[in-house]
Structure formats: C-alpha cells, structure tokens
Amino acid sequence: MDSLILMGESLCRVDAHVSLHLTVPDAPPAVRAWAERRPEVVLRTKRPERVSGWNIKPWLLLQELNAGSPQALWLDDDIIVTRPVSALLDEFPRESLIVAEEWTSSASAVPVSHFWNLPSARPIPVFNNCFIRVTPAHRTLLERWHQMLHDPRYRDAQALPFELRPVPLCHDGWPLIALLESAEFSQVPYDWIRRGRHIAQCAGSSGYQPHHRVLDLFRGLPPLIHGLGRKPWESPPDPSRLQHFLLDLATDVSPYTLAGRRVAKDLGMNPPWLEVRTLTGAMLRGMTNGHPGMAGLPLAILHAFHRKIGQVTTGSG
Ligand SMILES: [Mn+2]
C-alpha cells in the first residue's frame, strides 16, 4: 500500500494530464486519505469478481475503455514516475499497443502461440507487462487475453511455485505474447518503451546498466523507475550471511528505493522498508546525495562483471 501511494503521488505530481483510477478492495485509511487529497485520483474499493492479482489487467483495461476512455494505461504499483507519462506516450503511434522492454537483454522469443492452438505469424520478444497502453482498437485482443487468464490450464499452473510453471503459463504476460504472435492478431501494431531512455528496469543491481546511469546524470532520470523482481518490503526466506548483506546493500542503493524515498519524504511518509540497512549503503547514499542512479553505480558495475552477484541481488532468477 505504501508503494501504491508512492506510485500515484509521483505520477500525479509530474503529469497534469493524468486521471488515475485505482481499484483497492479494503483500502486502508492511509490510501483513502491520500486519494482524497488528490483530485486526479478515482478510488474504487469494490472487489472485482473472479479476477485478482496480475490477472486483473485486461479486465481493468476493458472497464476503462467501456467507460469511454480513448486510451487506457496499466501501470504497476512498484513504479516511481519522474516525468510525464503522457509526453512519453506521444512519442509512439496512436494505434500501437505499447508495453515495456524486459530488464534482461537475453529475453529471447520463444514461440508460444502453438500452445493455445493458434498458428504463429510473427516472433514477439519477451516484454515486461508493467506498462500496457491500449485503445478501443484492442478490445477484442483484451477480451481474448482475459479469457485465457481464466483457462483451467493457466489457473492450475498459477497455483504452482513460479519456477515449476510451464513457460507459456508462467505469468499473465505469456498469453498476451501468444496472442500478439498469432496469425489472428498479427496485424495489431505494437511497440515498447525502451530500457534506459524511458524506463529503469531495476532488477536488483542489474537491468539499469552503468552506461545508462552515467548518461542519466546529464539527460535526467528516465520517466519511469520500476522496482521489479524482489521487493524492498519483502525478505528472502533463508539467505546466507553474504546473500543477506548483498540483498540489503542492493536495496539500499536501488534506484527504485531511492526515488521512492524522495517522494515519501515530500509526503511525510516514513515506511521502514525505505530505511538504510547497511553501513556501505549509507556511505554510498551519502556520497551521491541519494541520487537514484549514482548510489548504486559501483554495485551495477560489479554486477556487469560478476553474474553471480547479479543473480543474488536480482531475486527474480
Ligand atoms: Mn512490477
């Protein structure tokens, strides 16, 4: 709930053209109080039927289109917005479905439409679903995606631990990839916001690379900072001492954590997961004045040369 407030506040603060619709069943008082102070925010507290978690995306997007919105954008709540999203969308064709580039460049295309008995017509690279912009032209695609997320095979796979799920059923993004790949939807234009220039994909110390961080000293932070993978408010089940230290340090200097701290400070919020955990992290924060890109530069450089450290601090495999 802290991260939801930080995402919403950061978005509304920098983008005057946004209308933020939040669906938060049983919203706690802090979320209600914050939403009341922000005229851009529409808070719904009714629990949607039969959809929850990340499977809610097509359902919510369809709701917005059905209500007459000319476009709707899903944004994850583990994102801090630093510049207007509306200006970012203006860089892309009006008719495109827009998603986000994945954090790892090794995310190669795996044909998955066959899994759903759909003929494959074009390869689709693995993308990140933290950002999905749709228009009424994508309504049929969204309906089909929504249906696939109710398929018993998908539902059964979602009940398994993440690492045991078959790839085409791993998360909500794969059925969407299958649809875009299929002959039926191969005419749908799609595009993606770029890693580095548009979004810092902060999977641990990786994903937001050293050269992006240095460039951003001059061109400014990317409009979106996504804290994907392991969350700073979660602790891993049973780490070794070294793992524990690396995870704490990665959290201390995570661009998502540091950008979130700036928003929290302005709001007078002080969630414990934003507090410093290691002496090294405190020093790096101090030396860089808490700059979201620079504090973690040494760790990002280390990660670029040492895959193992990256794997530990990424927390997403
Ligand atoms: Mn996310």
Side-chain angles (χ1 to χ4, degrees):
M1 289 298 144
D2 293 333
S3 75
L4 183 72
I5 294 174
L6 296 179
M7 182 277 276
E9 177 68 18
S10 66
L11 173 67
C12 296
R13 190 174 288 189
V14 298
D15 200 331
H17 302 287
V18 79
S19 173
L20 176 61
H21 296 188
L22 298 174
T23 300
V24 193
D26 310 320
V31 171
R32 290 172 195 267
W34 167 76
E36 262 166 43
R37 289 202 305 272
R38 273 281 170 202
E40 305 90 336
V41 175
V42 179
L43 177 65
R44 297 195 191 95
T45 53
K46 191 169 177 280
R47 186 174 294 278
E49 280 172 36
R50 296 182 67 231
V51 277
S52 64
W54 55 32
N55 302 324
I56 206 168
K57 294 174 197 176
W59 185 86
L60 273 184
L61 288 168
L62 279 165
Q63 293 270 106
E64 297 301 331
L65 296 175
N66 292 342
S69 295
Q71 62 174 336
L73 168 71
W74 163 274
L75 264 191
D76 272 11
D77 71 344
D78 53 354
I79 286 178
I80 300 294
V81 184
T82 73
R83 279 189 271 166
V85 174
S86 44
L88 169 61
L89 287 172
D90 287 344
E91 293 182 32
F92 292 88
R94 184 72 187 77
E95 62 279 7
S96 287
L97 179 106
I98 308 168
V99 290
E101 192 174 5
E102 185 55 296
W103 64 275
T104 163
S105 39
S106 62
S108 58
V110 183
V112 282
S113 64
H114 293 137
F115 179 85
W116 300 92
N117 295 325
L118 301 167
S120 175
R122 60 175 171 178
I124 303 287
V126 179
F127 50 74
N128 194 286
N129 253 345
C130 63
F131 183 102
I132 311 166
R133 196 291 302 267
V134 295
T135 72
H138 305 121
R139 199 177 257 128
T140 319
L141 179 78
L142 290 169
E143 282 161 1
R144 285 287 291 281
W145 184 25
H146 176 68
Q147 281 165 14
M148 287 158 102
L149 301 184
H150 280 88
D151 187 285
R153 287 173 295 173
Y154 176 80
R155 289 280 154 146
D156 292 348
Q158 292 294 303
L160 298 170
F162 193 83
E163 57 278 9
L164 296 181
R165 298 174 196 168
V167 169
L169 305 172
C170 211
H171 55 66
D172 62 301
W174 283 100
L176 181 58
I177 289 174
L179 286 175
L180 287 169
E181 188 191 312
S182 71
E184 190 182 343
F185 293 102
S186 62
Q187 304 307 313
V188 175
Y190 78 98
D191 214 326
W192 56 91
I193 59 169
R194 303 299 194 272
R195 230 164 12 127
R197 187 151 54 92
H198 297 139
I199 185 165
Q201 296 282 29
C202 313
S205 53
S206 60
Y208 184 26
Q209 292 162 329
H211 68 279
H212 289 144
R213 294 173 188 247
V214 174
L215 272 175
D216 290 349
L217 257 188
F218 304 99
R219 63 183 178 187
L221 291 169
L224 303 167
I225 300 182
H226 182 202
L228 78 170
R230 187 180 52 82
K231 306 299 171 220
W233 53 86
E234 290 170 350
S235 27
D238 200 14
S240 71
R241 277 177 77 96
L242 176 64
Q243 270 177 339
H244 205 286
F245 169 74
L246 283 172
L247 289 168
D248 281 349
L249 177 59
T251 306
D252 281 346
V253 298
S254 146
Y256 172 73
T257 306
L258 293 166
R261 267 172 63 88
R262 290 180 170 183
V263 183
K265 203 171 156 202
D266 290 347
L267 271 177
M269 277 170 70
N270 211 356
W273 55 271
L274 287 176
E275 276 162 26
V276 74
R277 302 161 194 219
T278 65
L279 188 61
T280 317
M283 280 166 57
L284 288 167
R285 281 186 184 184
M287 281 158 58
T288 57
N289 203 15
H291 188 279
M294 298 318 283
L297 182 63
L299 198 59
I301 293 173
L302 198 60
H303 170 230
F305 291 101
H306 199 306
R307 262 184 75 90
K308 190 98 178 116
I309 289 178
Q311 281 165 357
V312 170
T313 55
T314 298
S316 57

